[in-house]
Amino acid sequence: MSTTPATAVPRVVYRRPELLTERSTHYCPGCGHGVVHRLVAEVLGELGLGPRTIAVAPVGCAVFAYDYLALDFVEAPHGRAPAVATGIRRVRPDAFVLTYQGDGDLAAIGTAEIVHAAARGERITAVFVNNGIYGMTGGQMAPTTLLGQRTTSSPAGREAASAGYPLHITEMLALLPGVAYAARGSLVDPAWIGRTKAFLKRACEAQLEGTGFAIVEVLASCPVGWAMTPRDSLAFLRERMMAEFPPGLLIDRGRSAVSDRPED
Amino acid sequence: MSTTPATAVPRVVYRRPELLTERSTHYCPGCGHGVVHRLVAEVLGELGLGPRTIAVAPVGCAVFAYDYLALDFVEAPHGRAPAVATGIRRVRPDAFVLTYQGDGDLAAIGTAEIVHAAARGERITAVFVNNGIYGMTGGQMAPTTLLGQRTTSSPAGREAASAGYPLHITEMLALLPGVAYAARGSLVDPAWIGRTKAFLKRACEAQLEGTGFAIVEVLASCPVGWAMTPRDSLAFLRERMMAEFPPGLLIDRGRSAVSDRPED
Amino acid sequence: MTKRRRVLMKGNEAIAEAAIRASCDAYFGYPITPQAELFEWMARRMPEEGRVFVQAESELGAINMALGAAATGARVLVSSSGPGISLMGEAMSYLAGSELPVVVVDVMRGGPGLGSIGPSQSDYLLATKGHGHGDYRVPVLAPSSIAEAMELVATAFELAERYRTPVFILADGILGQAMEPVEQRYRDPPRSEAPWAVGGAAGRPPRVVRSLHLEPEALEAHNERLQAKYREIAGGEVRWAGERLDDADLAIVAYGTAARVARTAVARARAEGLRPGLFRPITLWPFPERELAEVASRVRGVLVVELSAGQMLEDVRLAVEGRLPVAFHGRTGGMVPTPDGVIDALRRLEARVRPAWTLPLVEAAALDRRPDPDTFSLFGDDAWRPLETTPRGER
Amino acid sequence: MTKRRRVLMKGNEAIAEAAIRASCDAYFGYPITPQAELFEWMARRMPEEGRVFVQAESELGAINMALGAAATGARVLVSSSGPGISLMGEAMSYLAGSELPVVVVDVMRGGPGLGSIGPSQSDYLLATKGHGHGDYRVPVLAPSSIAEAMELVATAFELAERYRTPVFILADGILGQAMEPVEQRYRDPPRSEAPWAVGGAAGRPPRVVRSLHLEPEALEAHNERLQAKYREIAGGEVRWAGERLDDADLAIVAYGTAARVARTAVARARAEGLRPGLFRPITLWPFPERELAEVASRVRGVLVVELSAGQMLEDVRLAVEGRLPVAFHGRTGGMVPTPDGVIDALRRLEARVRPAWTLPLVEAAALDRRPDPDTFSLFGDDAWRPLETTPRGER
Amino acid sequence: MERSVVFAGFGGQGLLFAGQVLAHAAVIDELEVLWIPSYGPEMRGGTASCTVIVGDEPIGSPVVDRVDVAVAMNPPSVAKFGRQVAPGGLLIANSSLVEEAYGRDDVEELQVPCTALAREAGDDRLVSLIALGALIARRPIVRPAAVRAAIRKVVAARQPDALRADLAAFAVGLRAGREPVRGRAAAPAPDAAR
Amino acid sequence: MERSVVFAGFGGQGLLFAGQVLAHAAVIDELEVLWIPSYGPEMRGGTASCTVIVGDEPIGSPVVDRVDVAVAMNPPSVAKFGRQVAPGGLLIANSSLVEEAYGRDDVEELQVPCTALAREAGDDRLVSLIALGALIARRPIVRPAAVRAAIRKVVAARQPDALRADLAAFAVGLRAGREPVRGRAAAPAPDAAR
Amino acid sequence: MTPAAGPPAVAPLAPRSWSPLIIASEYCKGCDLCVAACPKGVLVLDGTAVNRLGYHPVRLTDPAGCTSCAFCARVCPDAVFIVLAAPKGALRR
Amino acid sequence: MTPAAGPPAVAPLAPRSWSPLIIASEYCKGCDLCVAACPKGVLVLDGTAVNRLGYHPVRLTDPAGCTSCAFCARVCPDAVFIVLAAPKGALRR
Ligand SMILES: Cc1ncc(C[n+]2csc(CCOP(=O)(O)OP(=O)(O)O)c2C)c(N)n1
Ligand SMILES: Cc1ncc(C[n+]2csc(CCOP(=O)(O)OP(=O)(O)O)c2C)c(N)n1
Ligand code: SF4
Ligand code: SF4
Ligand code: SF4
Ligand code: SF4
Ligand code: SF4
Ligand code: SF4
Ligand SMILES: [Mg+2]
Ligand SMILES: [Mg+2]
């Protein structure tokens, strides 16, 4: 690169991605959804997929994703995004199909739909935001809530004896031959955010390669649901969530080796 | 043993178990459900559980299980047996709770219910009859139908590209810490039938020990759904079904070592 | 009879083939008796035609796949029976709220619960009134022969797309399972524009298909639009058929299979000196309320015949508004009324209505409204109950 | 006012606590606005009491867990709102068919689809008519204050067990979210025997709880029994309340929150010279049809007020049977009618009804039945439509 | 005028098939017709039946209070449908399996050893076509030629190999219907395992 | 007679809490009362509001066409609820955040620098109790003593440590309501992150 | 739905009249699985008999050849068999 | 729902007036995550300002200390930042 003269245009290191609309989000301060939206907008933008993407919005705090991402959107009933996406997928072979779901949406009420979309190997890229809680409805226990974690529906902390164990649904899905790609990212710090973006990119590529179903679970914080400051929620994310749900690549059936390094 | 005089009562090697009612079943000739019913009756009888069992009948060919097994029964909506059993389990801590489901019932429409009953570690013993087909409704493809297998809804044989891959749901469930016991048996021959009975017995014991959810998948034939003679269906069971779904113990979290040998 | 090219077809299969010939793009389903053959026909034929067939993991899966496909502007069919249809209530409400065209065939069976697989018409109230939450209505078409079912499939797609609404076709186990000769006349309605459909926001602002309107004002405005649409449908899309009503003094109201039984009963009853006619609603919603009211103004009594405990009965009573006796004859659980059973019910009705010619109409109506504790009072102890149920012995 | 021990309670929490005090054995639920506090109260209190609380994986899970628990004879509560309730249609049909007592609370919100979380009464038709498949009915209780909700919880358990049936409690977002002072009066109804309940066949023949009756004859007989039970409930369990009806010449029919708005409107309207009274159904099924008909015989017009596009309206019309004008005022999507809005609707009704004293009743009724294309004809072009909708400007 | 026929027997005796052949024959003869099976899980290892209504006008009621002809290929079917035959109607019983006459004076009872004849002709499933032949011999609801054309049409599409045997079975039945043989020929039941 | 009050502002300003205190005070004063929150996801990072209706008879309509008092703690709330105040009613605005008067002649407008006063008192959440004090000073819907008892009751149960500050804030508000201060004191908004 | 009364009680038999199998033929559906499973080849479907259900039930061709291994009973979906072990000295008829 | 117009175009700036961060303060929710993530400690929540949403928005305290590492932008849930790299010779204001 040539040396820049003093009057040159400064190089843009980072800018708000084009696929984000101008609207301010309704998310609470520090909410992970905002970061995931941004990553999705960046990845789709970089791959040039915006104009042919049909996205499916969940029921959960991200129900308004269509207000923030400049994409065609269909709103699915709670948990049914993978079925809705299957319908889209089948009649629109050329579209890029993206689902966005929370942990209650995907891992509780929508268990059957996600398992079977994955088993069928639908060419769908699923973004799964695991914040270990039902954010939208006021902080109740989710299937991914940690043992001992207090929520409005586990006021004494989640007990295995009555409420069972945190569900590792992405690991379950990774068993299925229809799943081309499965990974778990985290929003705990810039490095993991970068890695998560790389996972998302690879999950989009898997769809483009036609190798099957792709899912990226993103460990995200819900400061309000966890009743913490955003800063404290990052500590909880690192020490507790990431201990229970180790992030990293789970499977990449499309490629022998996967590029798992942080993006930069 | 003393030598038996010529006029002695002959020793009964095998008799119809007491928990089977006198009714002739509605099952087709050679149907696996009959054998599974018999094994369930034998195991519950041997463990003396009949009088305190509450069983849950599926929707599927085994919907009439209550006509053949002399147990208290609740009929669940299609796929919801694990939820129904959970309700029973929680309000009747002393009862022995048994579910009986087919592969369409358990692995298709009932996916969410079985996954979450298992994740919660409900003390339930689940009998899962996998015949790779929807018997009751006329032989349509099930989640466990083999690739290439012709059914009334996969007339050209199941294709992975459009219908996905056979679902190994028991393996998925075995990942869950709430699952105390998971095994897969087969009705292919007397030896495997004996082994399957041992699995069932162990799965009942797991409930009695209070260690969590227990499931036994039983590979069974559906001669009518497979459009084969019962004899041919055994060959299919051995060569095709058992190749896709290897029988054996999957997990026994309750005991370190499991007795996996054929009963005799 | 001129020589026609007729083919023997099973109802379930004829409905499926009619959808294919109506350029149905995608079918999503799940097996259930007595509609399995519809599903299986699609499993075989849709791939042959290069179209979409998906066996969903459940009816919830199927109807939500339909939602996704319809959101792209595709022509979509779904089918099931009672238990499966019940599971679709939430998504039907979403389809109505999101204004998406999907045709749903319900081949009704005996209920409630697992019930039986016998023919039934006990999903009338579900289809026409209260299936899912929220204020919405779904056009409901009720064929009474296989040929009519084929025609109504095309009509259903038309209505669905013209009004952006899910549409029900209500058949019963007999219509699904029976074979009749039908002419191979299929109709492929032209497609409406779908400027609302998603497909990727290339060169245009993004589109959103949704039912959420969090601001009450916005949701009320949305509901106003929906209600205006429903009024339009109610005004313009009522369908019904009358038979021998011109000189009738009793009217049988029946749809689908019950109407066929009633037709035979009308013929036989006339031979025996009674003078019934048949009023057959083809749209159950919008119900031909005005048309039935008009017919009711010319007869002395109305007999509702259903394969149910009395569901359409409510709409008939709403149309007749107490101006003349409404009797009911129904069988449930897979049982089907017989022509003789209907004739008996007609005779009981006939025995109780006063001859019309002795009083001017208004007075007769007024008289009829006087509480009559015997059978026809709507205000007696059994006010809510079908006015006449078949005596047990008859069954 | 004497000194009373009153506690400020939130509707959702009061309902939950009332269930606990009514010896509810088990609660199964899934979070949804606006009933989350009910669910959360149970999450905290049930374990405290050593009873069963399970957060199900979904509403399907919850209602089916309830089915299992109820089959053992346990006293069971379930709660949800629109979308979740819609998902329960199949299981409700099973509960009805299997004759199992479960109390289901629906804290209604705006629809259709995801709609909004605002208060609404748009699940009336769902609850009273067509939720699931098959011929069944569910008693529906509609409280209009928090204190009444607490009392009706006990009533619901009573009805459920006496008649072996699921029972709905229909509240709306306001009733769920509001706080009112209530006296701590709880009722714990005695338990009915449950000789049908499963529990292990020790020392007796096995029992089966089911809804399947494959033989049509058997299923029809089962349906006959169910219908007989529904007739019994309709005969003996109608509940309603009237306010200022004695001298009223117009009757407002409204339930739940709408009835409170109407009550305020009645008071204000009387101050302004109108003479309305309030007819408040407490059981929506069985609907107080006979009772309303009696009231209708004494007034000149009826105004139905709902937080919906006109759902109870159908039952009111069935009760009134065209004998006098029925007007409608409704708001949807989370909007709530205001007292002034109701009064305006009353005035429009008043302006249109002829004074009763000029004609004997029967003739007046007959006259009213003449097609009047303006507003009140049920046979005009907009036959199916609520007779009067609020003009847009008012909203 | 409408004529109704019920075919009933064990699953595997081809009764639904025979009913379909009759329905196709009616179409060939330009009549109106409606065919309804019994359906669903009761078919599992149980009995099967179907009803065919043939008429000049579009068929009204799909349910018939009484049938004009009952073809009953096993004992339970005789028991169930024997009483549903209208006075003056016809009851065809499979005398290979049904021991004695049903014993109604007001209907014509025809005993045909269908199973025995089918065994002779080489295939159990022919039972019903033999019965259909007998039926057409006694009640010419459709022309025998139309039945033959219908068999050709239906069978040629599905199992062309079976065509000859099927046509032969129908002929045997026709003959048996024209010259009824009394008495029961001992013959085993069809193998019901499908 | 019924009096209705709406409390509105940013989430985190304690508005639902202040409404509950008023409702409890009404119960203590043996009045009838109804408290209704705005609820649901719009609470996420947005505004919050609740309505309290106090009366002598059981409360009828839970919705009020017009309110007697609006307590508006941020600019959007003034914009939204300012116009809903009935003629002769009272509008209390948080002059720390709201620049200018709403400007209605037919209602009494009271400007209280609630945020500034709350900061002084040491906790952002006190904003609403200060406003409640001002409200009770101008419209004695309930007795001040009842409010104090209500604060004791509600706060003692949940956060006993906060009791003193809460009572003090109410006192500050009461005073501010009795001797209104005009003008806007510059003060930062509460930290809305909860 | 009534609990099974169980098979008929096994009464002492004279050695000569003794058979290792009691076959509840009316339950048999002629599926052939026991025939396939029998290591001794002593079972056959009886083509000359038809039971109530319409099937050719199974028949033991050679009681003496039967070892009472109970394979037939283990594979039978309809619990048709009672298998007895030979009392010492008994002759299988 | 309209697609983002994107942030304001970045115009050439005179070296002296140049800053590495453009902060869309009205989007900021004061969550503090960028402050925590900044390795240089040059971000702070501005307790003296309140934005339209009611939050204290973030402020860059020392442009010269900023290395344009964009950690702040990567962690920000509300995409508040544009990060620019220093043109050669530019002074950070
Ligand atoms: C059928 C149905 N049940 C329940 C709800 C209520 N509901 C809305 S969002 C949600 C859960 C959201 O949790 P999650 O998926 O984890 O998303 P988050 O808000 O945490 O991002 C629930 C239960 C609903 N809208 N529909
Ligand atoms: C909600 C619902 N959907 C569909 C059906 C129809 N149905 C009955 S059984 C069955 C599948 C049975 O298959 P499986 O569970 O494998 O049992 P099998 O008959 O093979 O033993 C289906 C789809 C139903 N009864 N209810
Ligand atoms: S509740 Fe949790 S997930 Fe929802 S917006 Fe707030 S922080 Fe985000
Ligand atoms: S269809 Fe299959 S599973 Fe059902 S009874 Fe017959 S053989 Fe058994
Ligand atoms: S017991 Fe053994 S040897 Fe005897 S018949 Fe049975 S399988 Fe054959
Ligand atoms: S296995 Fe049982 S049913 Fe099958 S042939 Fe043998 S005895 Fe009969
Ligand atoms: S770019 Fe880096 S150094 Fe500069 S403010 Fe952001 S995080 Fe700090
Ligand atoms: S991370 Fe973003 S929203 Fe949070 S304080 Fe920093 S700039 Fe504001
Ligand atoms: Mg979540
Ligand atoms: Mg199966």
Side-chain angles (χ1 to χ4, degrees), chain B residues 2 7 139 161 181 194 216 237 248:
Chain B
S2 62
T7 53
Y181 184 81
V216 179
L237 192 58

Coordinates of all heavy atoms in Angstrom, one line a residue, chain B residues 2 7 139 161 181 194 216 237 248:
Chain B
S2 N -34.2 -83.2 42.0 CA -34.5 -84.6 42.1 C -35.0 -85.1 40.8 O -35.6 -84.4 40.0 CB -35.5 -84.8 43.2 OG -36.7 -84.2 42.9
T7 N -45.0 -89.7 36.7 CA -46.4 -89.0 36.7 C -46.3 -87.6 37.2 O -47.3 -87.0 37.5 CB -47.3 -89.8 37.7 OG1 -46.5 -89.9 38.9 CG2 -47.6 -91.2 37.2
G139 N -48.8 -47.5 6.1 CA -47.4 -47.8 5.6 C -46.7 -46.6 5.0 O -46.0 -46.7 4.0
A161 N -32.2 -36.5 -0.3 CA -32.2 -35.1 -0.7 C -33.5 -34.5 -0.4 O -33.6 -33.3 -0.1 CB -32.0 -35.1 -2.2
Y181 N -30.9 -44.6 31.2 CA -30.7 -45.9 30.5 C -31.2 -45.8 29.1 O -32.3 -45.3 28.9 CB -31.4 -47.0 31.3 CG -31.1 -48.4 30.6 CD1 -30.0 -49.1 30.9 CD2 -32.1 -48.9 29.8 CE1 -29.7 -50.3 30.3 CE2 -31.8 -50.2 29.2 CZ -30.7 -50.9 29.5 OH -30.4 -52.1 28.9
G194 N -34.5 -62.3 23.6 CA -34.1 -62.4 25.0 C -33.3 -61.2 25.5 O -33.6 -60.7 26.5
V216 N -36.0 -48.0 25.8 CA -35.6 -49.1 25.0 C -36.2 -49.1 23.7 O -37.5 -49.1 23.6 CB -35.9 -50.5 25.7 CG1 -35.4 -51.6 24.8 CG2 -35.3 -50.6 27.1
L237 N -35.2 -57.1 8.6 CA -34.9 -56.6 9.9 C -33.4 -56.8 10.2 O -32.7 -55.9 10.6 CB -35.7 -57.3 10.9 CG -35.8 -56.8 12.4 CD1 -36.3 -55.3 12.4 CD2 -36.7 -57.7 13.2
G248 N -28.0 -52.8 20.8 CA -27.1 -52.9 21.9 C -27.4 -51.8 22.9 O -28.3 -51.0 22.8

